[in-house]
Amino acid sequence: MRVPLDWLREYAEVPVGTPGTQVAADLVRVGLEEEGLHGGDVKGPLVVGRVLEVTPEKQKNGKTINWCQVDVGDANGTGEPQGIVCGAHNFGAGDLVPVILPGGVLPGNFEISARKTYGHVSAGMICSSLELGLGDDHDGIIVLTDWLGAGADGLEPGQDAIPLLGLDRETVEVNVTPDRGYCFSLRGIAREYSHSTGAAYRDPALVRVVDGQERALTAPGATPDGFGIELRDESPIEGNDGCDRFVTRIVRGIDPQAPTPAWMATRLTEAGMRPISLAVDISNYVMLALGQPTHAYDLHKLDGPIVVRRARAGEKLTTLDDVERTLDPEDLLITDGGETVLGLAGVMGGASSEISDSTTDVLIEAAHFDPRTVARTSRRHKLTSEASKRFERGVDPELAPQAAQLIVELMTELGGGTADPAVTDAGQVSTPEPIAFDPTMPTRYVGVDYSTDRVREILETIGCTVVDGTATDGTDDQATGDAAASDGILTVTPPSWRPDLTGGPDLVEEVARIDGYDKIPSVLPSAPGGRGLTHAQRVRRTVAAALAGQGLDEVLTYPFVSDARFDDLGLAAEDPRRHALRVANPLSDEAPLMRTELLQTLPDTLRRNLGRGAKDVALFELDSVTLPDLARKAPVPGVGVKPDDAVLEEIRAAVPHQPWHVAMIATGHAERPGWWGQGRAADVTDMVGWAHAVCDALGVSVERRQTERAPFHPGRCVELTLSDGTTVGWAGELHPKAVKALGVPERTVAAELDLDVLIAASDRRAQGAPLSNHPPAGSDIALTVPSSVRFADVAESVRAGAGELLESVHLFDVYRGDQIGEDQQSLAFHLVFRAPDRTLKTEEVNAARDAAVARAAKDHGAVQR
Amino acid sequence: MSGPNTNYDPVEVSALDPAAVEQNVTDALTAIVAATSLDELKAARIAHAGEKSPLALANREIGALPPSAKAEAGKRVGQARGRVNQALASRQAELEAERDERILVEEAMDLTMRPDRRPFGHRHPLTLTAERMADVMVGMGWEVAEGPGVEAEWLNFDALNFDKDHPARQMQDTFFVDPADAGVVLRTHTSPVQARSLLERGAPLYVAVPGKTYRTDELDATHTPVFHQMEGLAIDEGLTMAHLKGTLDRLASALFGEGLTTRLRPSFFPFTEPSAEMDFQCFVCRGEDQNCRTCGGTGWIEWGGCGMVNHNVLRACGIDPERYQGFAFGMGVERSLMFRNHLADMREIIEGDLRFNAQFGMEI
């Protein structure tokens, strides 16, 4: 909402000389956030100058500049002509122009000084509308006789041009929160300014100032011969009639050519609306002034009566924005005679009954519509208007006749029309519900000691009616009433313009904000003491720190993916990872799905880094993924009531499973070459090692199972499992096809682990065991087995055969070649034995070693070399 | 003391002659001192203390002496060999020390260039910031709660008193899950965890909720469709806005600098009443520089929203608003990071450029 200060001053006594910044700060204090400040940013001297001489000078760069002598009167202190270089050519000797002199400041904090340019000292600047922030024309400077028309008569060089050009006019722009519909008007803003500063307030819905004189704005009551209105809402939404008040007035004989007066056009422009024609401008002016949207119909295009009803299925309307809309039975319509649709109530009118440049007799509509009805229609048709914005936030229901009266007065005064004595005021508005209010509540909620008198004073200031006791006392139950009164309970009836005030906490906020949030002290509460981070939270930090310690970089990626990405990764048609949650309104139609694995988005970040010149890139991400199961719909039972357990369970059950994952991707060096020696490329063993680092960091031991799974190389992928077989995840080298489709380097390696599995597996107290102080005994064996036998299977046999004395098995060499048979491999293991209670004898070690070999021979046909 | 050996025959046992022994010792000591390397010393050892050395030979001749002469000759030769061995040992130690020193000199390496052999990894500053914020809350005795990013619409809106027709619900720019009437959304704030926590744990409750949130904003320097918030919720008996301010002041001073405070401005949010916008004091100028580029000269930096929890939220979660009351607040983690660590462009947070992470340590 834009608030021209000049307009604000008409309703609130803003002290003379108060700058816009101060008004903005005053409004912020009561909850109207500053969005911007317009105007008032030109600082003088900006004066009227008369061009005496213009000497064009051709420059080397092909441009022609004008060396001008300008009479600025005494404004430069000498009375001598001012020498100024100007690049514009739309003026000549004798013209009156605005000149900013050294020391002046243009919008954007652009300070003017005398400077040497094109071989002259240019002492100031002749200004264009763009430079002054008055328009967007940069090419020509302002010639005052053209700009001001008759207003330029009698101007003298040296005269202050700031007020002349309206540059002293400031507009404060504020953000109006959704609960304060009444602040979409100067009436509401001025009221809030008055609350903030204590400035005197004059309600423009009650009083007009005409020619400096206050005059009551008095609307006549309804007459029996008013224009026919029928409010026929047969299906109110949640019990509220779509329209509970409809006021009409008629003005005849308006001059369709009558211009909008300059003062009104200026105010509208400053408030951000474009002047169009007198009738439209008056309607907009009254809406901005009071907050009541109105509509004007060409009386002769109406047959009457006006019928307000819900739409019928299939009904259509072409709105003023030239869009044909198919109406919904929930839409509330204004119709002529019940059939011809004139408009969507409170949202936008139709083209058929619009006033035109030949309209002389108008019907003015000032109505009150149900916020919910307007909000739904506006949302349904994606149609937001100045009217809908106000109605859906709540318009003061008492405004309609006053707004209509103001329109009638302005139309007759400015358009020469005559008002009909006939007035319609149909419907019955509900009055605000009184609130039983404990005056100690503000103190209990805010922590500031407010006296009952202060609470009362503030509530009355904002327009509430406050009485002692509960409102129903005396009529219903005298005894209860006395008790309530003695408890100090107040009955507070909010003003008609505050439909947002419905309960105690709303009144608490009013007390706190009017008294000032700055008075709230700072007190640290003493929480009962927590248990620290949960195991899962600690695990996520540990895993991230472990991977960073391993040389990987943590990144965040967006979770949005496409079906095409599943193809890139080589997921089979029936792969469950293709079953992704779909966003109904994605930012990009190319990525409407929520990822089911982190590796679906991580390659993009890898590629981006490579594109920016990085060579060795190892990334990881920790986040949840979304695994939708059966599509279930969640009930949405509404506000303020706890749903029963069954409904809550349904709500929770419809939320898809979202386990935490950790994924890694890497390319380039694991060890870089340099002055220290050779480097080494990151390969699949690094990736499997990193996957292990995650498990090790959590003290979870995992097993490996060679497996095939997209997007990995079929021969270079391992599945990690817990000892009970639960899958932890996969690590491997990317499939060459995936590498190509994703555009990542060959041999890129990756892994994806289910962190929730690791969190659960590590959620136990690890148990320590005493360490043996006896020396270890080592022994090496080389076993020849068929190449098809997996290392881990041989190692497992060795371990099983060696028995309890075996401490560790390390595969230190693998040989395939001439010295052994084809399709054979020789695996060299280093075994370490240790007993808890004694130093092992050589015979014991040898026996255990032989048993290990024997077991490998039995299981795999292993032969010791 | 024994008397002189009158039977001693100096001709027959000339090797045991005191002068000869002394000469051998002198020769040995000369050779030992002259040895400049461990190899030379080894040669000197063989020549003067080895099995064939004059002193070793002399020692062997002692056995041939009459018993009366044995003792004296034995003593003489023994002392002589002792002096030689001592000299050998001491020279050995000297030469070893010299060698060790020389090796250290020879082995010296130039370590003035960083050996960036293994790439160094980093945490992401945003997650670190969220962790730091959560840690401040944990330090105040709060716990950290979490909830899903894909969330039930009722928990994201209605439970928090966002009526389905209220303009505030439309202002949230929500991603809806297909079909649009599924009743499931990408959460627009971390606040549904307020409802989840209250429903599951009841009151009293003090929880901080860092997490990922979604709104349909295109990515630019100051917006991102996926961002992070940290929410705080305290429900207990007797909590007031003063407690809210106290908590925010502590969080602001812990994150941005000792002594910094916050400011509350009246505002509106469906889930709080009274509601406030909160600003923290500019840590660069502390309100003393009208041209401050960090705060624009206002002395305050917008941080988030807060207020006393709306009775409808408590009721929806089965909490009795007559008994319990409390406050909630929420702020952007990105915004906190950007101000705290001087970042100008939101896009850098999401791009995952290694150079971005590398500007920060593992602790920010």
Side-chain angles (χ1 to χ4, degrees):
Chain A
M1 175 79 195
R2 284 173 182 249
V3 184
L5 291 198
D6 152 74
W7 198 345
L8 179 68
R9 281 194 188 92
E10 189 175 321
Y11 307 153
E13 301 281 343
V14 182
V16 176
T18 309
T21 49
Q22 183 57 48
V23 172
D26 292 333
L27 293 176
V28 164
R29 214 183 142 268
V30 286
L32 292 157
E33 193 175 357
E34 181 184 341
E35 292 275 283
L37 204 53
H38 309 279
D41 43 4
V42 173
K43 292 195 185 69
L46 178 76
V47 299
V48 174
R50 183 181 301 283
V51 181
L52 302 175
E53 271 177 43
V54 178
T55 316
E57 294 180 358
K58 186 133 181 114
Q59 301 298 314
K60 280 189 220 133
N61 61 11
K63 250 168 93 174
T64 300
I65 61 101
N66 293 311
W67 172 237
C68 309
Q69 297 301 315
V70 186
D71 176 7
V72 295
D74 290 332
N76 56 4
T78 64
E80 295 295 314
Q82 196 82 351
I84 296 173
V85 170
C86 184
H89 300 277
N90 66 326
F91 66 101
D95 279 340
L96 289 172
V97 293
V99 176
I100 190 153
L101 297 172
V105 180
L106 290 177
N109 229 0
F110 178 47
E111 203 166 318
I112 303 299
S113 57
R115 61 189 187 98
K116 201 154 184 214
T117 179
Y118 295 113
H120 299 283
V121 173
S122 181
M125 202 164 106
I126 305 175
C127 300
S128 70
S129 63
L130 180 72
E131 285 152 353
L132 291 171
L134 291 171
D136 43 22
D137 180 11
H138 186 67
D139 294 336
I141 56 106
I142 291 177
V143 175
L144 291 171
T145 38
D146 298 342
W147 187 267
L148 299 173
D153 293 349
L155 290 182
E156 290 296 329
Q159 193 176 333
D160 188 356
I162 285 181
L164 208 58
L165 293 167
L167 291 168
D168 54 345
R169 299 173 67 86
E170 287 186 273
T171 298
V172 174
E173 189 172 357
V174 295
N175 177 36
V176 177
T177 54
D179 59 328
R180 300 274 179 80
Y182 70 102
C183 280
F184 273 116
S185 68
L186 266 297
R187 178 192 187 217
I189 300 280
R191 191 189 303 277
E192 288 298 332
Y193 178 80
S194 157
H195 295 340
S196 176
T197 60
Y201 171 67
R202 182 191 291 131
D203 186 346
L206 303 176
V207 179
R208 270 187 83 192
V209 178
V210 181
D211 300 329
Q213 297 296 310
E214 285 196 11
R215 199 168 85 191
L217 184 67
T218 313
T223 58
D225 59 345
F227 196 86
I229 299 295
E230 291 175 27
L231 304 181
R232 268 194 230 154
D233 185 359
E234 281 159 8
S235 44
I237 298 178
E238 300 189 5
N240 294 316
D241 274 331
C243 175
D244 56 10
R245 187 166 209 176
F246 203 108
V247 171
T248 66
R249 299 289 297 272
I250 291 167
V251 179
R252 298 177 199 267
I254 299 167
D255 172 7
Q257 308 309 320
T260 300
W263 63 265
M264 183 180 281
T266 302
R267 283 184 172 183
L268 288 173
T269 306
E270 286 175 350
M273 297 193 85
R274 202 162 45 90
I276 293 166
S277 68
L278 181 63
V280 173
D281 293 347
I282 288 174
S283 175
N284 286 336
Y285 181 81
V286 170
M287 178 180 70
L288 289 170
L290 304 185
Q292 170 72 54
T294 59
H295 197 79
Y297 301 90
D298 186 328
L299 185 63
H300 298 298
K301 293 181 186 167
L302 298 177
D303 295 327
I306 283 180
V307 176
V308 183
R309 61 161 172 86
R310 300 281 167 181
R312 298 172 193 137
E315 231 171 336
K316 287 190 165 52
L317 168 68
T318 301
T319 40
L320 281 175
D321 54 358
D322 273 340
V323 178
E324 192 195 49
R325 300 173 189 274
T326 303
L327 305 177
D328 183 279
E330 240 182 32
D331 291 332
L332 189 72
L333 305 180
I334 312 293
T335 67
D336 186 14
E339 289 308 315
T340 312
V341 182
L342 301 176
L344 283 167
V347 180
M348 193 173 276
S352 63
S353 59
E354 202 186 350
I355 51 171
S356 67
D357 52 14
S358 61
T359 302
T360 55
D361 299 350
V362 299
L363 177 83
I364 298 152
E365 162 204 318
H368 184 253
F369 299 111
D370 170 41
R372 201 177 283 272
T373 295
V374 173
R376 287 193 187 176
T377 293
S378 167
R379 190 165 81 232
R380 184 178 300 121
H381 297 288
K382 296 190 170 55
L383 184 59
T384 302
S385 64
E386 291 293 328
S388 71
K389 211 162 77 178
R390 288 171 174 80
F391 281 122
E392 69 178 21
R393 284 165 174 80
V395 169
D396 183 350
E398 304 299 338
L399 264 180
Q402 299 301 108
Q405 175 64 22
L406 183 54
I407 288 184
V408 166
E409 290 187 15
L410 289 169
M411 276 194 180
T412 51
E413 287 163 20
L414 302 173
T418 315
D420 269 17
V423 174
T424 311
D425 188 349
Q428 180 65 50
V429 297
S430 51
T431 50
E433 284 293 320
I435 302 166
F437 187 58
D438 175 354
T440 67
M441 194 177 183
T443 297
R444 284 188 286 116
Y445 268 71
V446 182
V448 171
D449 206 3
Y450 306 106
S451 69
T452 300
D453 286 348
R454 178 69 177 138
V455 168
R456 216 182 164 115
E457 176 197 347
I458 288 172
L459 294 177
E460 284 171 349
T461 299
I462 63 158
C464 294
T465 311
V466 183
V467 296
D468 289 315
T470 47
T472 51
D473 300 348
T475 52
D476 290 353
D477 185 339
Q478 192 63 45
T480 314
D482 285 343
S486 64
D487 283 349
I489 300 294
L490 304 177
T491 295
V492 180
T493 308
S496 58
W497 59 87
R498 294 299 303 270
D500 60 309
L501 302 181
T502 58
D506 301 321
L507 301 181
V508 169
E509 177 174 277
E510 294 305 307
V511 173
R513 81 180 174 97
I514 300 299
D515 191 66
Y517 274 15
D518 52 344
K519 301 210 179 112
I520 300 173
S522 179
V523 179
L524 200 60
S526 45
R531 293 161 295 186
L533 297 179
T534 63
H535 174 69
Q537 288 155 2
R538 294 170 59 87
V539 162
R540 289 197 290 270
R541 291 187 181 192
T542 301
V543 168
L547 288 177
Q550 291 282 332
L552 289 87
D553 263 77
E554 184 177 21
V555 295
L556 308 170
T557 65
Y558 286 163
F560 308 121
V561 292
S562 61
D563 281 312
R565 178 48 56 90
F566 300 147
D567 298 337
D568 295 343
L569 292 165
L571 303 192
E574 68 282 5
D575 193 308
R577 289 173 286 173
R578 282 183 180 269
H579 180 50
L581 191 85
R582 185 173 292 272
V583 174
N585 54 334
L587 273 188
S588 157
D589 288 335
E590 280 157 27
L593 305 175
M594 294 296 281
R595 63 184 169 191
T596 54
E597 279 192 339
L598 303 179
L599 273 183
Q600 290 156 10
T601 56
L602 208 44
D604 300 318
T605 304
L606 176 74
R607 222 175 38 238
R608 184 179 298 124
N609 272 288
L610 297 169
R612 292 177 179 187
K615 300 278 183 246
D616 309 322
V617 186
L619 307 175
F620 74 96
E621 181 170 17
L622 266 82
D623 202 354
S624 57
V625 297
T626 307
L627 306 179
D629 37 22
L630 297 171
R632 268 184 281 210
K633 287 190 179 179
V636 188
V639 304
V641 180
K642 185 184 178 188
D644 63 42
D645 289 349
V647 173
L648 270 179
E649 190 41 47
E650 253 187 283
I651 288 171
R652 289 200 186 97
V655 174
H657 184 43
Q658 294 164 69
W660 278 81
H661 279 201
V662 56
M664 298 169 254
I665 192 165
T667 185
H669 287 101
E671 278 186 50
R672 297 192 185 99
W675 57 264
W676 51 83
Q678 295 296 305
R680 189 176 64 72
D683 64 22
V684 69
T685 63
D686 291 298
M687 185 50 75
V688 176
W690 291 330
H692 270 278
V694 170
C695 304
D696 283 358
L698 304 178
V700 175
S701 61
V702 288
E703 289 159 14
R704 294 145 306 278
R705 191 157 61 206
Q706 194 89 12
T707 186
E708 289 185 25
R709 178 180 168 92
F712 297 107
H713 187 304
R716 297 188 174 185
C717 173
V718 71
E719 178 183 2
L720 300 176
T721 61
L722 300 179
S723 55
D724 66 2
T726 307
T727 299
V728 172
W730 292 265
E733 186 179 303
L734 290 183
H735 195 293
K737 283 183 185 163
V739 160
K740 204 168 163 199
L742 294 168
V744 297
E746 287 177 12
R747 306 283 173 211
T748 295
V749 291
E752 174 120 12
L753 308 180
D754 186 329
L755 211 46
D756 280 0
V757 168
L758 289 171
I759 286 168
S762 58
D763 193 7
R764 45 124 181 81
R765 266 180 275 179
Q767 304 293 312
L771 300 178
S772 169
N773 289 324
H774 297 277
S779 183
D780 291 351
I781 53 174
L783 300 173
T784 303
V785 293
S787 298
S788 57
V789 177
R790 297 290 181 198
F791 302 160
D793 294 336
V794 180
E796 189 45 45
S797 297
V798 166
R799 199 172 283 119
E804 285 188 349
L805 296 175
L806 184 71
E807 189 173 82
S808 66
V809 180
H810 174 59
L811 176 62
F812 67 89
D813 194 31
V814 176
Y815 173 79
R816 292 187 183 98
D818 297 343
Q819 295 177 32
I820 54 175
E822 217 173 292
D823 301 328
Q824 295 283 306
Q825 54 186 348
S826 170
L827 311 182
F829 291 99
H830 180 64
L831 312 183
V832 175
F833 298 93
R834 198 195 307 253
D837 54 348
R838 65 191 188 281
T839 299
L840 289 173
K841 297 195 183 81
T842 311
E843 305 83 69
E844 288 180 284
V845 172
N846 289 347
R849 180 199 62 202
D850 292 346
V853 172
R855 179 64 181 266
K858 176 169 166 272
D859 291 353
H860 308 292
V863 176
Q864 188 168 18
R865 284 178 77 206
Chain B
M1 287 290 281
S2 56
N5 182 2
T6 51
N7 295 327
Y8 175 63
D9 180 357
V11 177
E12 271 192 50
V13 290
S14 61
L16 292 168
D17 175 66
V21 169
E22 189 59 34
Q23 185 58 49
N24 287 338
V25 170
T26 307
D27 290 350
L29 295 181
T30 307
I32 288 166
V33 171
T36 57
S37 71
L38 287 164
D39 285 345
E40 285 176 26
L41 187 65
K42 190 177 175 187
R45 183 192 311 274
I46 293 166
H48 298 283
E51 286 176 9
K52 303 245 172 79
S53 65
L55 283 171
L57 294 175
N59 195 49
R60 267 186 234 163
E61 287 176 22
I62 293 172
L65 291 180
S68 58
K70 271 186 185 169
E72 191 182 342
K75 186 176 174 190
R76 187 183 308 126
V77 173
Q79 280 178 347
R81 293 180 82 184
R83 283 165 68 197
V84 171
N85 283 337
Q86 198 179 358
L88 275 170
S90 123
R91 186 62 182 154
Q92 174 81 20
E94 275 175 35
L95 289 173
E96 278 181 4
E98 275 175 32
R99 178 202 60 191
D100 290 353
E101 256 178 62
R102 196 173 58 248
I103 286 173
L104 292 180
V105 170
E106 286 167 4
E107 287 180 347
M109 292 173 73
D110 185 339
L111 294 172
T112 56
M113 285 295 283
R114 171 181 173 152
D116 52 345
R117 188 168 200 153
R118 292 190 55 207
F120 194 79
H122 301 87
R123 298 285 317 276
H124 194 285
L126 190 84
T127 38
L128 290 174
T129 302
E131 287 174 9
R132 179 176 275 267
M133 292 168 81
D135 285 347
V136 175
M137 302 312 297
V138 169
M140 285 189 243
W142 296 42
E143 293 191 356
V144 177
E146 292 160 327
V150 179
E151 181 60 287
E153 190 174 347
W154 185 79
L155 288 163
N156 193 74
F157 288 124
D158 305 72
L160 302 169
N161 196 39
F162 281 76
D163 185 277
K164 69 176 180 297
D165 294 316
H166 199 285
R169 186 138 160 184
Q170 314 316 318
M171 286 159 64
Q172 293 263 329
D173 305 323
T174 311
F175 282 114
F176 289 92
V177 164
D178 187 63
D181 64 348
V184 179
V185 298
L186 306 196
R187 68 177 176 191
T188 56
H189 43 200
T190 43
S191 313
V193 185
Q194 287 188 18
R196 282 181 174 270
S197 300
L198 284 171
L199 284 165
E200 281 156 30
R201 301 170 63 168
L205 183 73
Y206 292 77
V207 288
V209 186
K212 196 168 272 197
T213 49
Y214 305 83
R215 290 189 198 176
T216 56
D217 290 321
E218 296 282 353
L219 177 65
D220 64 25
T222 54
H223 295 86
T224 158
V226 183
F227 57 105
H228 296 74
Q229 286 188 336
M230 192 183 80
E231 186 97 0
L233 172 73
I235 302 292
D236 207 336
E237 293 178 9
L239 288 178
T240 68
M241 287 183 88
H243 293 121
L244 165 63
K245 179 148 173 30
T247 304
L248 293 172
D249 283 350
R250 174 59 61 90
L251 185 58
S253 64
L255 290 176
F256 299 106
E258 206 49 50
L260 291 177
T261 60
T262 56
R263 173 178 77 166
L264 303 181
R265 286 179 284 120
S267 189
F268 168 80
F269 303 104
F271 39 18
T272 48
E273 188 73 38
S275 300
E277 292 274 357
M278 59 186 166
D279 307 328
F280 62 86
Q281 207 173 13
C282 177
F283 53 90
V284 175
C285 73
R286 295 195 180 225
E288 289 177 9
D289 178 4
Q290 295 225 321
N291 299 313
C292 177
R293 290 165 68 176
T294 300
C295 65
T298 63
W300 297 95
I301 296 167
E302 283 182 36
W303 203 13
C306 59
M308 297 300 287
V309 176
N310 192 296
H311 284 191
N312 269 349
V313 175
L314 297 176
R315 284 189 202 105
C317 300
I319 307 291
D320 177 8
E322 298 304 317
R323 177 169 177 201
Y324 289 107
Q325 60 192 47
F327 58 85
F329 60 86
M331 65 268 293
V333 181
E334 277 83 355
R335 192 170 170 78
S336 302
L337 166 66
M338 288 174 80
F339 274 101
R340 193 168 179 274
N341 299 77
H342 201 72
L343 305 181
D345 196 326
M346 182 91 76
R347 283 171 287 216
E348 291 182 344
I349 295 174
I350 192 63
E351 282 173 343
D353 193 315
L354 297 178
R355 295 169 301 163
F356 175 69
N357 282 10
Q359 300 173 92
F360 309 95
M362 294 278 276
E363 190 51 73
I364 61 169

